[in-house]
Amino acid sequence: MSPLKIKKGSTSHSAYNLRPNFSDVIERHTLAVLVENEPGVLARVIGLFSGRGYNIDSLTVAEVDHTGHLSRITIVTSGTPQVIEQIKAQLGRIVPVHEVHDLTVEGPSVERELAMFKVSGTGDKRVEALRLADIFRANVVDSTLETFVFEITGAPEKIDAFAELMRPLGLKDVARTGVAALPRGD
Amino acid sequence: MTRKMTGAKMIVQALIDQGVDTIFGYPGGAVLPIYDEVFQQNSIKHVLVRHEQGAVHAAEGYARSTGKPGVVLVTSGPGATNAVTGLTDALLDSIPLVVLTGQVPTFMIGSDAFQEADTVGITRPCTKHNWLVKDTDKLAGVLHEAFHVATSGRPGPVLVDIPKDVQFATGQYEPKKPSVSHYQPPVKGDMAAITELVEAIESAKRPVFYTGGGVINSGPAASQLLRELVEATGFPITSTLMGLGCYPASGDKWLGMLGMHGLYEANMAMHDCDLMINVGARFDDRITGVVDMFSPKSKKAHIDIDPSSINKIIRVDIPIVGDVGHVLEDMLKIWKSRGRKTNSEAVAKWWKKINEWRSIDCLKFEQKGKIIKPQYALSRLEALTKKYDRYICTEVGQHQMWAAQYLNFEDPNRWMTSGGLGTMGYGFPASIGVQMAHPDALVINVAGEASWLMNMQEMGTAMQYGLPVKQFILNNERLGMVRQWQELLHGERYSQSWSESLPDFVKLAEAFGAKGILCSDPDDLDDAIMEMLTYNGPVIFDCLVEKHENCFPMIPSGKAHNDMMLAGVDTQGVIDAKGSVLV
Ligand SMILES: Cc1cc2nc3c(=O)[nH]c(=O)nc-3n(C[C@H](O)[C@H](O)[C@H](O)COP(=O)(O)OP(=O)(O)OC[C@H]3O[C@@H](n4cnc5c(N)ncnc54)[C@H](O)[C@@H]3O)c2cc1C
Ligand SMILES: Cc1ncc(C[n+]2csc(CCOP(=O)(O)OP(=O)(O)O)c2C)c(N)n1
């Protein structure tokens, strides 16, 4: 489990807060779900969300522990506190799910997303795009005489902001990975 | 010791190692190697059903009446898709099943091969878990794990899809050993929460036990502990449809079933209680009615093995995640060690109130005239079969509710009904599964004629295996429950709710070589029932009953627990527009 820095057995205390105070406010939560890397496991998780009418704002998945056959799914979802609790409980009962962590309530965490932007333009617009990319620490990973492909990593809000700025400057295409997140500290 | 053998042999070996004595199935191309192994052994009985849906319901009946997982074997494609209704039924009612399906060979998967269906894809949402096994070496391990998953924690159906080349190939057989998988749901409840519940029990003025299928799932020992707790505290107890039998109906603390068609006293007690102790029930919408008006004044405790059941529908004050048996044991220990206290004065007052509600006698009916009332038919069935250790199955509809109201259950595992999915066609095959597990017992399926027709082909199965299942059909020549809702909600416009062109059930029985009995006169009913009971073989009992009888009490859609319709009320205009969108 070392590459994940997730303490074993912490799930029952953290993810299933059984005595929540329910309100009607829609909250956005980032969940880290550690799953057995077996065929169909992603379909199970996605099927749970679609079948029960929950929202997926973002979802990323990759194997993180090859020898242990574990993948980490990071899901950003939104709902009332009661719905969020239900989502965690429902995820927890999927047989190949090992752990469910609600990073939004389990203390501070860092969230990062990678995105690529294709921006096409000439003259001032092209210069401005490059200047803004510099400010946002986006890298140029491909360029032609008329286009740039920028690569940017950061919190989703930063990427949203960058996208807004690029739009008037000739934004052609966006590819985003979705959020990866880890708790801070130990 | 590991041994080399073919995948097909492994399957039979794994079933034997798991203690399986009976499987329900239907052969086809993709399971022929398995059927060849079934042919060459004598440890496991195979019951050849007449439709795969029947196999799954039969396995459910077997499982519910024994506490052991039911096992099903069907072929790929249509065999697997025919099993889907049964799987969904078992998922909603938490019935442990292991369903084995054949699949086209691995090298043909994805090619739209003959009788190929994406079985794991189709059944993913209607199983607790499923596997496609592509490697014979892994087959035995998956099969043992399948039994572990089906029976651990909240039980449910699992499915193992086995391509034909995996059945033919040779691999290492892994014998059964204690599961090492990460899936080990905890059974012990949190002691602090249990203590909090004990404190609430000590001071409660108007307590009620609200019990459910989880008590049955937990096993007979849990029912025993529940009985001890109820007797010791003197608290009233009600149960859902799925929990009938966990506390004896003859017990004086018994309020009867609660919910939409539950008893007046049970629903009133739920509405007015100050402490609700939910033991293995899931706040289903047939129970809660409108959630905002559900038992507004009570503190609620909930014992459930599945964390997702807790706070799903009703927010509770004392959540306890654990197995009913384990939690009740700890609870009794703590309660006893603290001096067995209850607020007996207040509880006595509470009983006075409850007895006032009881005195309304919400199940009373009058049998007059020459037409049999369904309630009367079931009361007579109850009276004449009381002395047997009998097993009752039902189909779905009014007859199911009347059976729950008018038949009394003294022990767990004696009542098989489709609660969550409400699957017409469940009862007959379920009765076959029950009779396979209990060959000498009296097994009765209380049916409506419409439901019964849905899986009537299983008469062949009953005859082939000499299973003396009694099909007690309350024949109102209507899709009665649908008709009742049309009466309440749709101005008595009975759209498509007639059972037209019914067969002559007596001749139908005779065509299969079984016995048919027709009864239409209340004066003949006792003799006819006795004839059914004493006949040694399958019987179809065609009991012609009142056609437009309604099932009461009823909490109309959109109403609260204390707003019940009792027999004799006006049925028009009771449910408003908001209520009528609910099912
Ligand atoms: C036509 C029709 C009418 C109906 N009307 C009514 C009605 O009037 N009244 C009524 O009660 N029902 C009625 N039902 C049935 C209803 O739909 C539900 O199926 C039923 O109420 C659910 O019962 P339950 O709450 O006991 O839950 P179950 O479905 O039996 O679920 C059991 C619960 O216990 C938990 N559990 C399982 N094993 C354990 C264990 N070992 N330890 C602890 N917890 C465990 C599970 O996680 C689950 O939450 C009707 C059905 C039909 C078809
Ligand atoms: C497979 C299936 N289809 C439809 C329904 C909807 N439904 C519920 S009760 C009922 C009528 C059942 O009629 P019958 O079996 O004669 O029983 P009765 O209500 O008359 O006692 C119907 C159609 C269902 N529950 N299951």
Side-chain angles (χ1 to χ4, degrees):
Chain A
M1 212 76 47
S2 50
L4 304 164
K5 298 255 190 258
I6 289 177
K7 281 181 228 86
K8 238 197 137 119
S10 56
T11 322
S12 56
H13 300 292
S14 50
Y16 308 133
N17 174 15
L18 292 171
R19 301 186 193 207
N21 277 320
F22 290 145
S23 79
D24 292 335
V25 182
I26 303 281
E27 295 177 356
R28 186 171 172 278
H29 284 236
T30 304
L31 309 178
V33 188
L34 210 57
V35 301
E36 196 96 24
N37 186 11
E38 60 176 38
V41 65
L42 187 59
R44 276 177 221 287
V45 170
I46 292 171
L48 168 72
F49 277 76
S50 64
R52 292 186 185 263
Y54 305 140
N55 301 313
I56 298 181
D57 298 342
S58 148
L59 182 141
T60 61
V61 56
E63 189 175 71
V64 287
D65 177 358
H66 186 67
T67 45
H69 286 288
L70 292 173
S71 290
R72 186 183 176 99
I73 302 177
T74 308
I75 304 171
V76 181
T77 183
S78 47
T80 62
Q82 182 174 13
V83 168
I84 301 283
E85 287 309 311
Q86 224 354 254
I87 292 173
K88 288 185 271 180
Q90 292 290 352
L91 284 168
R93 72 206 275 264
I94 296 178
V95 171
V97 167
H98 284 234
E99 295 176 24
V100 180
H101 290 271
D102 185 341
L103 299 180
T104 306
V105 300
E106 284 177 30
S109 61
V110 278
E111 292 191 1
R112 286 292 178 273
E113 195 178 348
L114 185 145
M116 291 198 283
F117 291 85
K118 183 177 283 179
V119 181
S120 150
T122 50
D124 286 353
K125 283 191 174 172
R126 189 167 158 88
V127 174
E128 182 63 4
L130 204 56
R131 200 182 65 84
L132 285 168
D134 193 41
I135 294 170
F136 275 76
R137 298 206 186 126
N139 299 319
V140 178
V141 289
D142 179 60
S143 74
T144 66
L145 286 177
E146 300 208 331
T147 60
F148 285 123
V149 175
F150 297 115
E151 171 210 65
I152 179 171
T153 53
E157 299 75 38
K158 173 178 163 185
I159 293 173
D160 290 344
F162 188 65
E164 278 316 305
L165 291 172
M166 286 302 118
R167 211 170 303 277
L169 299 178
L171 183 58
K172 284 276 173 288
D173 228 342
V174 185
R176 297 175 69 152
T177 57
V179 172
L182 279 179
R184 287 178 191 271
D186 277 327
Chain B
M1 186 192 68
T2 62
R3 283 177 286 157
K4 282 220 168 256
M5 60 179 84
T6 65
K9 200 174 185 68
M10 268 184 201
I11 292 165
V12 172
Q13 189 58 49
L15 296 182
I16 293 171
D17 283 4
Q18 289 289 340
V20 174
D21 53 28
T22 310
I23 59 178
F24 303 89
Y26 207 88
V31 283
L32 285 178
I34 308 173
Y35 270 90
D36 201 34
E37 292 299 332
V38 167
F39 187 81
Q40 298 177 53
Q41 56 83 46
N42 288 314
S43 319
I44 299 175
K45 276 176 279 181
H46 179 277
V47 178
L48 178 70
V49 292
R50 300 301 189 263
H51 185 292
E52 288 86 351
Q53 184 187 355
V56 186
H57 294 323
E60 287 185 89
Y62 177 96
R64 193 65 165 181
S65 68
T66 60
K68 297 197 288 182
V71 182
V72 174
L73 173 59
V74 297
T75 193
S76 66
T81 55
N82 273 349
V84 166
T85 301
L87 287 168
T88 313
D89 191 89
L91 185 73
L92 278 176
D93 284 346
S94 301
I95 309 288
L97 296 183
V98 176
V99 176
L100 309 176
T101 51
Q103 182 54 279
V104 301
T106 46
F107 52 86
M108 291 178 83
I109 288 178
S111 68
D112 296 325
F114 177 63
Q115 295 198 325
E116 179 181 1
D118 176 9
T119 301
V120 284
I122 291 169
T123 61
R124 201 172 282 131
C126 61
T127 51
K128 183 174 172 187
H129 194 59
N130 62 15
W131 296 261
L132 168 65
V133 184
K134 289 182 166 173
D135 175 356
T136 308
D137 279 330
K138 297 212 172 109
L139 181 55
V142 168
L143 290 169
H144 295 311
E145 182 65 9
F147 278 86
H148 170 69
V149 171
T151 53
S152 311
R154 180 177 185 166
V158 301
L159 181 142
V160 186
D161 198 25
I162 311 162
K164 199 170 178 181
D165 55 334
V166 174
Q167 301 169 30
F168 272 124
T170 301
Q172 287 289 340
Y173 180 75
E174 287 279 338
K176 181 187 173 191
K177 48 181 184 260
S179 166
V180 290
S181 84
H182 83 98
Y183 184 74
Q184 310 289 346
V187 290
K188 291 280 275 183
D190 174 42
M191 284 307 222
I194 297 175
T195 308
E196 197 181 335
L197 174 52
V198 168
E199 282 164 8
I201 286 175
E202 288 168 346
S203 60
K205 294 190 173 112
R206 300 184 309 278
V208 65
F209 284 106
Y210 153 40
T211 61
V215 184
I216 314 283
N217 286 138
S218 185
S223 291
Q224 207 47 52
L225 288 162
L226 178 69
R227 288 161 193 223
E228 196 189 319
L229 187 65
V230 170
E231 288 324 303
T233 56
F235 291 178
I237 174 170
T238 177
S239 165
T240 66
L241 184 76
M242 298 310 290
L244 297 178
C246 68
Y247 181 83
S250 60
D252 61 346
K253 310 293 182 296
W254 176 239
L255 303 183
M257 182 176 81
L258 81 162
M260 179 174 270
H261 290 292
L263 272 64
Y264 184 72
E265 50 268 43
N267 285 332
M268 292 301 282
M270 286 287 281
H271 188 269
D272 282 5
C273 66
D274 72 342
L275 174 64
M276 178 187 298
I277 309 164
N278 175 336
V279 189
R282 58 182 171 84
F283 292 109
D284 183 80
D285 52 56
R286 297 301 89 162
I287 304 305
T288 59
V290 176
V291 172
D292 304 340
M293 296 187 265
F294 176 70
S295 193
K297 287 165 283 191
S298 60
K299 180 175 230 182
K300 299 176 184 74
H302 189 181
I303 304 168
D304 202 297
I305 203 159
D306 180 353
S308 82
S309 283
I310 289 177
N311 290 330
K312 177 163 65 178
I313 294 153
I314 298 292
R315 172 155 161 45
V316 297
D317 307 285
I318 310 176
I320 302 173
V321 175
D323 165 60
V324 167
H326 286 80
V327 172
L328 289 186
E329 194 177 355
D330 287 337
M331 206 160 104
L332 266 164
K333 244 187 240 152
I334 295 174
W335 180 70
K336 284 177 184 168
S337 73
R338 290 167 56 107
R340 300 165 169 266
K341 288 186 290 254
T342 59
N343 186 346
S344 50
E345 218 168 283
V347 174
K349 247 171 84 189
W350 176 227
W351 270 112
K352 254 182 82 188
K353 186 86 204 150
I354 290 173
N355 285 329
E356 279 169 29
W357 292 325
R358 268 182 174 168
S359 67
I360 286 182
D361 193 9
C362 66
L363 293 183
K364 68 171 173 269
F365 65 91
E366 221 182 323
Q367 172 62 51
K368 49 176 196 238
K370 275 302 196 188
I371 297 170
I372 300 174
K373 285 241 185 198
Q375 299 94 325
Y376 178 70
L378 287 168
S379 308
R380 294 317 301 155
L381 187 71
E382 165 67 16
L384 296 170
T385 60
K386 220 191 187 88
K387 62 173 192 284
Y388 295 86
D389 183 13
R390 57 163 201 219
Y391 293 77
I392 304 284
C393 303
T394 75
E395 303 288 346
V396 169
Q398 291 180 313
H399 64 276
Q400 175 188 27
M401 293 297 110
W402 282 316
Q405 293 171 341
Y406 290 91
L407 302 181
N408 290 332
F409 297 93
E410 296 297 310
D411 290 298
N413 306 100
R414 302 298 192 281
W415 165 246
M416 276 53 60
T417 197
S418 170
L421 195 63
T423 311
M424 293 170 70
Y426 163 89
F428 183 17
S431 72
I432 286 176
V434 175
Q435 192 83 71
M436 279 305 296
H438 310 276
D440 300 323
L442 172 62
V443 181
I444 302 173
N445 175 35
V446 175
E449 79 292 340
S451 294
W452 193 82
L453 289 175
M454 283 209 177
N455 271 321
M456 59 161 267
Q457 75 286 347
E458 299 305 329
M459 273 311 285
T461 314
M463 289 309 295
Q464 180 179 347
Y465 297 91
L467 303 172
V469 286
K470 314 299 182 207
Q471 304 304 313
F472 193 72
I473 300 176
L474 296 175
N475 184 352
N476 51 14
E477 299 176 13
R478 299 288 181 281
L479 313 185
M481 187 59 96
V482 171
R483 190 209 57 75
Q484 176 168 345
W485 280 59
Q486 289 171 335
E487 178 177 339
L488 289 167
L489 287 169
H490 296 279
E492 301 177 83
R493 290 181 297 282
Y494 298 133
S495 177
Q496 307 298 319
S497 54
W498 302 69
S499 287
E500 298 275 3
S501 306
L502 285 171
D504 177 329
F505 284 103
V506 173
K507 280 196 188 141
L508 182 70
E510 286 164 5
F512 278 100
K515 184 176 184 62
I517 300 173
L518 174 71
C519 184
S520 59
D521 186 335
D523 295 333
D524 299 339
L525 187 60
D526 277 23
D527 287 347
I529 290 176
M530 286 314 293
E531 193 185 349
M532 171 180 88
L533 296 177
T534 49
Y535 182 74
N536 184 19
V539 176
I540 301 178
F541 190 110
D542 184 11
C543 188
L544 301 184
V545 296
E546 179 75 53
K547 297 188 200 312
H548 281 206
E549 189 69 21
N550 283 325
C551 183
F552 291 122
M554 177 173 185
I555 303 175
S557 307
K559 303 277 160 130
H561 264 172
N562 57 349
D563 199 354
M564 247 168 295
M565 293 172 78
L566 297 172
V569 296
D570 184 6
T571 56
Q572 295 310 296
V574 184
I575 299 176
D576 57 21
K578 219 169 120 214
S580 63
V581 301
L582 303 169
V583 288

